[in-house]
Amino acid sequence: MIQNEDIFKAIISHSKEYGFIFPSSEIYDGLSAVYDYGQYGVELKNNIKTYWWKAMAQMHENIVGIDAAIFMHPTVWKASGHVDAFSDPLIDNKDSKKRYRADVLIEDYIAKIEEKINKEVTKAAKRFGADFDESMFLQTNGRIAEYRKKIEDISNRMNRALNENDFEDIRQLIIDLEIVCPVSGSRNWTDVRQFNLMFATQMGAAADGASQVYLRPETAQGIFVNYLNVQKTGRVKPPFGIAQIGKAFRNEIVARQFIFRMREFEQMEMQYFVRPGEELTWYEYWKEQRMKWHLSLGIPAEKYRFHNHEKLAHYANAAADIEFAFPFGFKELEGIHSRTDFDLSAHQQYSGKKLQYFDQELNESYVPYVVETSIGVDRMFLAILSHAYQEEKLEDGSERVVLRIPPMLAPVKAAVLPLVKKDGLPEKAREIMDILKQDHMCQYDEKDAIGRRYRRQDAIGTPYCITVDHQTLEDNCVTIRERDSMRQDRIAIEKLPQIISDKVKMKF
Ligand code: GAP
C-alpha cells in the first residue's frame, strides 16, 4: 500500500506535470514557499473562490463584499497588534546553522507520539481481527494512556510558555525532550527569539522621506478600516458581514508542505459585525455554517474535524479551526474567531475616528463585536487535490490517475472528442464545442487514441468526456462518459447543455 508521504509526493509532481502548480521562477531554481498556478490550477482556484463568494455574499443578504488594497497605512498594523505581536518563536541549531520554529519542533515531537498511538492501534487491530473494538482499546490500553498523558503534559507546558512569552522554558522543553536538529542530529540550540512575520518595504522615493509600509499579513484589516464606509453606504446594520478575497504575505520561518504554508498566499475572509454580548451565539452559528459549506462539496465528513483553541490569539475570546485530513495529517484549513471589539476599538483609538453603530432598537451606540471566518484559498486547493487524487487499477489490468474533483470546481467541465480526425467528425465535434463553451470551460481534443484522451481528462479531473463517432452524423447522438464511474451513455446532442449544467451547478 502506498504510504501517505508517497501520495503527497505524487500529488506534488502530478500538480506540476498537469499544469496545476509550478514553483515560482522555476528557471531560476524557484523561490522558497512561493508558487505559481498553471492553466488548470488557475481554473480550480477561481472556482473555489467563486464557490466561497457565492456562499457568503450571494446567499446571505446581509453580507457584502469589498476589495481593499494590499498596502495600508502603517499605523493599521500598530493598532492591530501585528507590529508588536505577530511573531513566531525562533531557534537555531548552532551546528547545522538551520533555523526552526521552536513550537513546531515541539509539535513534531508530539506528532511522533501520536504516530506511536496509531501503530499500537494497527497492531492490536491485526491481533484481534473482527473482534477489535478501537474505542474500547483507546480507552483502556495502559501504554496509550501513558502516551496521551505525555502529550497532554507537553502541550500544557508549551501553551503556558507561549502564552506568557516564557522563551527560556520553551528552550528548556526542547532540551528536556531531547529534540535533535533533523540536519545535524545535535542538541546544540541557541536561545529562543521572537521573529516578526510581516514583510516591510518602502513607499515613495527615499529622497522624499519614504515611509515603511507592510505587505498585509491578513486581509481582515482592510475590512475593519472600511467598516464605517460600508456601514454608512451599504444600508446595513448589525448583524451584517463584509467579505473579501485577496493576497496576504507572511515571512514564514518554516515554509514547507507545498502550498500548505506559503509566503505569498490568498485568503477568503468574512467579518461579521454583531451586537456586543451576542458574539458567542454568532460564533457557534458560523462554525456550523462553515462546516456545512465544506461538506456541501461532497467530501466525506470524516476528513474534517473541529479543533477548539486553548491558546487564544491576542484579539480573540473564542476560536476554533476546521481541520482537514491532509496526507500529512489533520491540519488547520480554516479559522473561526470571535475577535470581540478588539480591532474596531484599536482603530478607533489610533485613528481618533468613532467606529460605532447607533442601534435604534436599543437606543445606544456601541463598537460592534466581530466574528470572523478565515480560510486560505491555497490550503483549500490542497485539501481538494488531496481528496481528489486517486491511483486506480482498472478491471482490464490497466491503471489510471484520476482527480475526483467535485464537478462544480473542476477546471474543465467537459471534453469534446471526435473519435477520428476525419470523415466530418472534427467538424461535428467543433459544433458541440461551440455550444458548450458558451456556458462552461470545455476542451477540444482530437490527438491520440480515445483511451489516452480519456486518461488525460481523468488526470485533470474533467467530469465528462463527449465522444463524437460516425453514428453521431446519422442520429445526432454522442457517447457521454462519466469520470468517476467511467460509465458511458448514449444521449442526444440537444440534451448535453442541460445534463452538464445540472451536474456542475454550484449548490449550497
Ligand atoms: N484574519 C485571521 C487570520 O489571518 P490565520 O489563522 O492566521 O487567521 C487564516 O489565517 C487562514 O489563512 C488559515 O486557516 C489558513 O487557511 C490560511 N493561511 C494562513 N497562513 C498561511 C500560509 N502561510 N500559507 C497558506 N495559507 C495560510
Side-chain angles (χ1 to χ4, degrees):
M1 199 180 84
I2 284 191
Q3 293 301 304
N4 280 352
E5 201 174 308
D6 293 335
I7 290 178
F8 190 39
K9 280 190 192 144
I11 290 170
I12 296 171
S13 66
H14 188 88
S15 298
K16 186 168 167 224
E17 194 184 337
Y18 284 90
F20 282 84
I21 297 170
F22 307 123
S24 158
S25 335
E26 199 190 0
I27 56 170
Y28 293 98
D29 294 333
L31 183 65
S32 171
V34 186
Y35 290 91
D36 297 339
Y37 284 81
Q39 62 275 23
Y40 298 123
V42 70
E43 295 295 338
L44 174 53
K45 199 177 185 212
N46 283 342
N47 292 341
I48 291 172
K49 290 193 271 187
T50 304
Y51 188 52
W52 183 87
W53 190 263
K54 286 191 171 186
M56 298 307 243
Q58 186 172 313
M59 297 301 289
H60 292 91
E61 291 169 29
N62 64 345
I63 297 182
V64 296
I66 63 162
D67 183 18
I70 287 171
F71 289 131
M72 302 181 75
H73 193 285
T75 311
V76 166
W77 305 109
K78 190 76 194 146
S80 67
H82 284 80
V83 170
D84 295 324
F86 193 58
S87 45
D88 280 337
L90 263 189
I91 192 163
D92 291 23
N93 182 269
K94 290 184 196 163
D95 298 320
S96 67
K97 310 272 182 262
K98 290 276 172 202
R99 180 161 289 177
Y100 300 94
R101 254 176 73 176
D103 54 336
V104 171
L105 283 179
I106 300 167
E107 276 164 9
D108 286 350
Y109 184 90
I110 291 175
K112 282 192 190 131
I113 308 179
E114 278 166 352
E115 257 171 50
K116 284 184 189 168
I117 295 180
N118 290 341
K119 275 194 187 142
E120 292 287 337
V121 173
T122 317
K123 247 177 26 198
K126 259 196 198 149
R127 198 163 359 115
F128 294 113
D131 295 334
F132 183 58
D133 180 342
E134 185 175 327
S135 69
M136 177 66 82
F137 179 75
L138 285 170
Q139 278 168 35
T140 53
N141 182 277
R143 198 170 298 162
I144 287 185
E146 268 172 39
Y147 285 144
R148 283 191 162 163
K149 171 90 176 65
K150 194 165 179 194
I151 291 177
E152 197 186 321
D153 289 347
I154 297 170
S155 302
N156 286 345
R157 185 166 161 197
M158 178 176 79
N159 288 336
R160 187 210 60 82
L162 288 173
N163 274 334
E164 294 172 18
N165 288 340
D166 184 352
F167 300 124
E168 234 164 73
D169 197 45
I170 295 197
R171 178 172 187 271
Q172 195 54 48
L173 182 56
I174 289 172
I175 289 167
D176 292 350
L177 295 174
E178 303 186 346
I179 294 175
V180 297
C181 165
V183 177
S184 68
S186 86
R187 290 184 223 148
N188 199 4
W189 297 110
T190 61
D191 287 341
V192 174
R193 285 167 294 124
Q194 283 290 60
F195 174 78
N196 194 293
L197 300 185
M198 283 197 294
F199 283 102
T201 187
Q202 301 296 318
M203 182 170 260
D208 297 335
S211 65
Q212 176 164 284
V213 290
Y214 298 100
L215 296 184
R216 65 181 178 198
E218 62 171 14
T219 58
Q221 297 304 323
I223 294 179
F224 290 123
V225 299
N226 277 296
Y227 156 75
L228 207 55
N229 286 333
V230 174
Q231 192 238 296
K232 283 192 170 155
T233 59
R235 301 176 60 233
V236 282
K237 56 179 192 171
F240 78 94
I242 305 179
Q244 178 172 218
I245 299 178
K247 290 268 182 168
F249 304 83
R250 294 182 191 178
N251 197 1
E252 300 281 0
I253 304 156
V254 186
R256 58 175 186 184
Q257 288 160 332
F258 194 34
I259 55 169
F260 181 82
R261 197 176 299 285
M262 301 158 87
R263 295 201 164 106
E264 173 180 340
F265 59 102
E266 220 167 343
Q267 288 185 314
M268 305 189 280
E269 298 202 295
M270 192 277 300
Q271 315 295 132
Y272 205 65
F273 299 90
V274 305
R275 278 182 183 164
E278 293 184 359
E279 73 276 10
L280 292 180
T281 310
W282 286 113
Y283 166 72
E284 292 302 331
Y285 169 84
W286 279 108
K287 269 176 80 174
E288 194 191 319
Q289 286 289 310
R290 293 304 303 146
M291 186 59 102
K292 266 194 192 155
W293 182 83
H294 287 284
L295 297 179
S296 67
L297 286 168
I299 298 176
E302 57 268 23
K303 294 223 167 173
Y304 296 91
R305 72 179 186 198
F306 280 113
H307 165 74
N308 295 319
H309 284 206
E310 282 167 32
K311 178 187 180 256
L312 292 173
H314 59 277
Y315 48 73
N317 71 357
D321 296 335
I322 293 179
E323 293 187 338
F324 182 80
F326 289 100
F328 38 84
F330 268 101
K331 295 273 176 224
E332 174 186 341
L333 170 60
E334 168 156 13
I336 296 123
H337 313 120
S338 173
R339 291 178 78 127
T340 67
D341 61 349
F342 173 86
D343 302 85
L344 286 183
S345 293
H347 288 306
Q348 188 167 259
Q349 187 194 336
Y350 276 81
S351 68
K353 307 273 175 352
K354 264 197 171 174
L355 299 179
Q356 296 190 350
Y357 176 73
F358 177 70
D359 193 320
Q360 284 180 337
E361 271 172 48
L362 299 180
N363 197 28
E364 67 178 62
S365 291
Y366 53 76
V367 176
Y369 271 45
V370 170
V371 175
E372 162 185 80
T373 72
S374 174
I375 175 167
V377 179
D378 314 86
R379 246 177 232 192
M380 186 63 198
F381 190 110
L382 184 57
I384 298 285
L385 217 55
S386 323
H387 161 73
Y389 181 89
Q390 277 171 19
E391 295 172 8
E392 281 184 359
K393 228 188 171 82
L394 305 179
E395 274 173 16
D396 64 3
S398 64
E399 285 175 14
R400 71 164 180 165
V401 170
V402 55
L403 293 187
R404 293 177 190 269
I405 299 173
M408 61 177 144
L409 301 183
V412 176
K413 307 298 187 201
V416 185
L417 318 169
L419 191 60
V420 289
K421 249 195 280 184
K422 55 184 184 182
D423 305 335
L425 300 192
E427 289 76 8
K428 190 73 185 168
R430 282 272 173 215
E431 274 175 31
I432 297 173
M433 180 73 189
D434 287 344
I435 298 169
L436 295 182
K437 74 183 183 192
Q438 308 265 343
D439 293 316
H440 306 293
M441 193 55 76
C442 296
Q443 210 171 63
Y444 174 86
D445 189 4
E446 58 179 25
K447 197 167 171 286
D448 299 322
I450 195 75
R452 287 189 67 178
R453 281 181 271 168
Y454 284 157
R455 292 291 165 273
R456 274 203 291 269
Q457 296 302 327
D458 288 344
I460 61 167
T462 306
Y464 283 119
C465 285
I466 295 152
T467 307
V468 175
D469 55 24
H470 291 93
Q471 209 186 321
T472 307
L473 302 180
E474 288 161 26
D475 63 6
N476 251 349
C477 288
V478 287
T479 300
I480 184 163
R481 171 190 180 269
E482 202 266 332
R483 177 193 68 197
D484 297 348
S485 60
M486 294 191 290
R487 187 189 146 134
Q488 301 194 7
D489 289 310
R490 196 82 190 157
I491 61 153
I493 291 173
E494 61 184 24
K495 288 192 178 153
L496 273 177
Q498 195 59 45
I499 289 179
I500 292 171
S501 294
D502 285 350
K503 178 84 173 178
V504 304
K505 191 170 183 274
M506 291 192 175
K507 296 182 197 97
F508 304 96

